[in-house]
Amino acid sequence: AQSVAQPEDQVNVAEGNPLTVKCTYSVSGNPYLFWYVQYPNRGLQFLLKYITGDNLVKGSYGFEAEFNKSQTSFHLKKPSALVSDSALYFCAVRDGLTGGGNKLTFGTGTQLKVEL
Amino acid sequence: NAGVTQTPKFQVLKTGQSMTLQCAQDMNHEYMSWYRQDPGMGLRLIHYSVGAGITDQGEVPNGYNVSRSTTEDFPLRLLSAAPSQTSVYFCASSRSPREQFFGPGTRLTVL
């Protein structure tokens, strides 16, 4: 079975400071990892993914994430936070061995609040 | 491209009523799925489909039915609505194993 943990319900950061949103995962085979963002009353928007290749993945809006296989983590980062980054962030994983299509397991979400 | 569209945006049902949530995509994606989002629980997979005529259960399938007669459409049916089905429902599509594209959601309240 695959699972995802987002240990922080909320992360607060001042605008201009770096931000990190944490994610750890568990899968049987090689992981496919994703980050999504959700703004109020909207659907989820894709930010970035790791399937294979470089451990540092760059995505939309200046976000990046680092895949760490030994720590089974995929933390989301941004060097300088903006107030407009305030939103709900979801980490998701699928097992690369799964034969039943693109089944994703989502974390419970982390609310990011960026303050002036 | 319109992407993934969902109707209706909002719906209020009484316990025991049935209804169908509509989902359509125009990206020729083979994979489609339905999730429900509840506070503090993230998104949970209800049903998914890997192509026309092929569906399977996700994590929380009870009380829901799906069918996939065309590549474009993937409706979700609530057979007899219960208050526990009050939630926000999202449809998504993708070409596996790439990222999923999500619709805007349907907010359902069951009284």
Side-chain angles (χ1 to χ4, degrees):
Chain A
Q2 56 196 40
S3 65
V4 174
Q6 293 182 243
E8 301 154 319
D9 290 336
Q10 182 161 321
V11 170
N12 297 320
V13 65
E15 187 174 53
N17 283 0
L19 69 87
T20 298
V21 182
K22 296 179 180 177
C23 171
T24 58
Y25 66 89
S26 174
V27 295
S28 300
N30 291 323
Y32 295 169
L33 293 154
F34 304 83
W35 275 102
Y36 289 85
V37 60
Q38 184 181 34
Y39 297 100
N41 300 313
R42 304 287 296 273
L44 276 70
Q45 296 178 28
F46 168 75
L47 278 180
L48 51 79
K49 65 177 182 280
Y50 172 84
I51 294 179
T52 187
D54 290 340
N55 290 343
L56 185 63
V57 178
K58 293 188 184 298
S60 306
Y61 313 121
F63 283 93
E64 57 188 31
E66 186 167 11
F67 170 63
N68 187 316
K69 188 173 183 178
S70 63
Q71 297 186 4
T72 61
S73 66
F74 190 57
H75 301 331
L76 182 70
K77 299 182 180 184
K78 188 173 183 182
S80 179
L82 299 172
V83 171
S84 57
D85 293 329
S86 298
L88 186 58
Y89 290 80
F90 289 100
C91 182
V93 67
R94 66 155 282 189
D95 191 332
L97 295 178
T98 302
N102 201 14
K103 290 172 62 176
L104 292 182
T105 298
F106 284 83
T108 52
T110 298
Q111 186 70 46
L112 174 66
K113 188 174 182 181
V114 182
E115 299 168 311
L116 291 170
Chain B
N1 287 351
V4 180
T5 58
Q6 291 183 239
T7 56
K9 285 186 169 57
F10 301 94
Q11 184 70 48
V12 179
L13 293 178
K14 294 181 180 178
T15 297
Q17 287 185 315
S18 63
M19 77 159 297
T20 299
L21 307 184
Q22 301 292 345
C23 174
Q25 53 94 6
D26 61 358
M27 297 173 282
N28 200 30
H29 287 166
E30 72 271 21
Y31 185 86
M32 296 185 75
S33 52
W34 276 101
Y35 297 88
R36 60 178 288 173
Q37 182 179 19
D38 301 292
M41 303 189 74
L43 277 76
R44 292 181 291 168
L45 183 64
I46 304 172
H47 286 285
Y48 67 97
S49 168
V50 300
I54 306 169
T55 64
D56 205 347
Q57 296 180 351
E59 181 184 356
V60 287
N62 292 342
Y64 308 94
N65 274 358
V66 293
S67 60
R68 184 102 178 264
S69 57
T70 67
T71 299
E72 294 78 19
D73 300 300
F74 191 43
L76 178 72
R77 296 183 194 84
L78 280 69
L79 306 174
S80 177
S84 60
Q85 293 179 305
T86 294
S87 187
V88 182
Y89 291 85
F90 290 101
C91 179
S93 74
S94 71
R95 284 198 178 95
S96 180
R98 297 181 182 177
E99 63 274 16
Q100 296 190 10
F101 292 84
F102 284 79
T106 295
R107 188 173 295 273
L108 175 67
T109 301
V110 182
L111 302 175

